Amino acid sequence: MEIRLSAQQALNLWRIALSRAVHGLEPDLSARQMAILLNVYLTPAPHTVRGLAFKLGLAKPAVTRALDRLEAAGLLRRAPDRRDGRSIVVERTVKGAAFLGEFGNYVSEAGQEVVAAAA
């Protein structure tokens, strides 16, 4: 069954999920940090600073700053690329998977609320 949301409903879903996340999850991530984290966890590895910058249309220094924060929070880690010693790969962590699992629950619950309100 396909469910189509209006732009307003989609924004309301996002509002509900983010409101819960800022109160229930630590750390409180910026949109850029969340976009990087989601890309690392939801798209096939390997991930590099260069690749993430290209995929998100960001400068490498901006990605590096976001990765610094995400790594300090334990949500991912950087390691030398075993195939290319000049490159750094970005890897998932258990803490990052748990963080996104909880955020996914917030999004799912918000989706259920938005769909129920539309019925």
Side-chain angles (χ1 to χ4, degrees), residues 17-73:
L18 287 177
S19 295
R20 290 184 180 153
V22 298
H23 293 290
L25 286 176
E26 283 295 326
D28 181 15
L29 301 181
S30 71
R32 176 177 295 161
Q33 292 161 350
M34 186 61 95
I36 289 170
L37 191 64
L38 287 167
N39 271 279
V40 170
Y41 280 82
L42 298 178
T43 63
H47 300 284
T48 62
V49 174
R50 183 180 300 120
L52 289 166
F54 178 79
K55 185 181 290 185
L56 295 169
L58 299 170
K60 288 192 300 184
V63 171
T64 298
R65 284 190 302 274
L67 290 173
D68 289 344
R69 174 94 196 282
L70 293 167
E71 189 171 31

